[in-house]
Amino acid sequence: MTMSSPNISSLSWGHMTVKGCSAAYKDCKVWPGGSRSWDWRETGTQHHPGVQPADVQEVLDRGVKLLVIGRGMNMALQVPASTLDFVAQQGVDVRVLQTEQAVAEYNKLAGQGAKVGGVFHSTC
């Protein structure tokens, strides 16, 4: 049985919830069958230079075919070309959007049964 990607059920400034998960997140990672908090301190991530390969590796390891990256409500979080190249080298398509647009795109794809994952920043 293949696990589906869980819907992101709510998004507001600094707060996200994922269907089937009791925890609320500030920033989160989602993949088929699960989700967890995205703690930037684990990889030393900052708005500049932004999302690192180490930030997305865990989601890619879950077998996703498409990765959605939410850059924040005001798109302050950068996504360097090196990270996009890293994702492409794994054979995974990537879409980088403002977080509200990213969540809508992710939920649409998840609803279509796509093997989609994402990393989402819910503030600036």
Side-chain angles (χ1 to χ4, degrees):
M1 180 178 126
T2 58
M3 289 186 270
S4 60
S5 298
N7 236 15
I8 296 171
S9 47
S10 73
L11 168 66
S12 60
W13 186 275
H15 188 267
M16 298 181 72
T17 57
V18 176
K19 187 175 180 181
C21 179
S22 59
Y25 304 120
K26 176 179 172 268
D27 300 322
C28 76
K29 298 180 180 189
V30 289
W31 57 81
S35 65
R36 79 172 184 93
S37 177
W38 176 18
D39 182 349
W40 292 15
R41 292 172 298 195
E42 293 172 0
T43 55
T45 294
Q46 298 178 3
H47 288 96
H48 301 277
V51 181
Q52 303 173 66
D55 293 314
V56 299
Q57 184 69 63
E58 177 181 15
V59 177
L60 299 178
D61 288 346
R62 307 287 179 146
V64 301
K65 301 294 178 210
L66 198 137
L67 177 70
V68 180
I69 299 175
R71 290 188 47 202
M73 299 300 210
N74 300 327
M75 295 189 59
L77 178 61
Q78 302 301 301
V79 183
S82 57
T83 298
L84 299 176
D85 292 345
F86 173 78
V87 174
Q89 289 166 4
Q90 314 291 314
V92 173
D93 290 330
V94 64
R95 296 183 188 165
V96 179
L97 300 161
Q98 184 267 357
T99 295
E100 290 161 309
Q101 296 167 347
V103 165
E105 179 73 2
Y106 167 87
N107 280 342
K108 181 182 89 174
L109 292 162
Q112 294 169 350
K115 288 192 76 170
V116 61
V119 294
F120 302 96
H121 178 46
S122 75
T123 58
C124 46

